[in-house]
Amino acid sequence: MTEQRISADVIAADNEKRGKALRADYEALSAKLARDGVSIDVITDRVAQFFVAVPSWGVGTGGTRFARFPGLGEPRNIFDKLDDCAVIHQLTRATPAVSLHIPWDKVDDPRQLKAHGDALGLEFDAMNSNTFSDAPGQEKSYKFGSLSHTDAATRQQAIEHNIECIEIGEAIGSKALTVWIGDGSNFPGQSNFARSFERYLDSMKKIYKRLPDDWRIFSEHKMYEPAFYSTVVQDWGTNYLIATELGEKAFCLVDLGHHAPNVNIEMIVARLIQFEKLGGFHFNDSKYGDDDLDAGSIDPYRLFLVFNELVDAEHRNASGFRPAHMIDQSHNVTDPIESLIRSANEIRRAYAQALLVDRKALEVYQNSNDALMASETLKAAYRTDVEPILAMARLKAGGAIDPISAYRNSGYRQMVTKDRPAVASGGGGIV
């Protein structure tokens, strides 16, 4: 029996208030879609089977280089984090897996994590290593790099940390390792571009060698930050080179905030699908850089266009297409649980809209070079209000019609605040 952190009665009561309106809206949308030959129930069923993992670190309050302002009832440890993640899945029925970050989520016995996750009905998604900051008691510093460091002992430390992440993942049922490094340089001439990349590849090959047969490794690119002049894994081209150099279990991970402004991310996605190296996503949104804002909060059309490529790949049964989906966000001024609930729903929204694209018509317009009507075909799907589909998918799966409303009515945040001590605010060191 799965443990529930929010009473089913609270969700049922909230759903009771909204059920009649939802059924009316669903029937109206059903009639509209039927005129175009689309079965709403088929779309709803597909949406209900689309899941996205939540990050363990996402249920804590984030911060900036300037300051961090802790929220109430912040999780004290990974077990509290799993409790919060379970609430998100209970309400949305869209987030059955959690992605861990080591060393922050490390425990003495990983079997305890597995048992707690099982009790809450949660699985474990990709493991995430940390060689972009120094952990307490760490012998070698990553100030000047990790997997690409000039010092062999520092590189070996970073390699062993990633292997440790694999070992923890094996104990809890994970099947992937995500590697993102902050290695790079802040001044021209500080690093030799070719040699630093050679050292990185050599380190990754040693990690790859330890990868279990049924695992995948995801390399993640980022244009800048924390290094500002150059980063070792700076763009999707370098990422693709890494994946092809390592082997068939290596893939590229696309974080939506890790690109230069105005980069065509959906085209990058299409290229990686075409050459069978798309590993998955870290979903978020951005206005200026790697802002880690709630998914779909700034540019929901871009999120839809990414999903248009994903659904196109599904539609044509693209070879090797098996992307992992995960949220990666920093919640600085909102309740993290509410932000993750909203993001999970916005990601499903983009998927539902992409499922409504008339692919036959789109192909005709593309082949005849009818730019306007090709664009309109996408816009017609994007303009469709699919909220009744999302709500019905949640309801049928035992979730909440309005998950944020149900969450607030549950009093969960107030409840955990009584047990979790307040955390002091912290400054970022910038004057």
Side-chain angles (χ1 to χ4, degrees), residues 206-263:
K206 292 174 181 175
I207 298 168
Y208 183 89
K209 187 176 180 180
R210 175 58 182 82
L211 210 64
D213 291 340
D214 59 347
W215 273 51
R216 297 187 292 170
I217 187 169
F218 304 140
S219 53
E220 183 177 356
H221 59 273
K222 186 176 183 181
M223 183 185 178
Y224 72 96
E225 199 181 43
F228 289 98
Y229 172 66
S230 71
T231 49
V232 174
V233 187
Q234 85 282 9
D235 59 24
W236 76 274
T238 295
N239 204 350
Y240 178 76
L241 290 173
I242 294 165
T244 54
E245 185 78 10
L246 292 181
E248 61 181 11
K249 294 184 291 187
F251 298 86
C252 304
L253 187 137
V254 177
D255 185 307
L256 298 189
H258 284 193
H259 304 82
N262 304 316
V263 163

Side-chain angles (χ1 to χ4, degrees), residues 168-188:
I168 295 171
E170 286 181 295
I172 63 177
S174 177
K175 295 293 183 182
L177 171 69
T178 297
V179 180
W180 175 74
I181 61 170
D183 295 26
S185 63
N186 283 292
F187 297 94

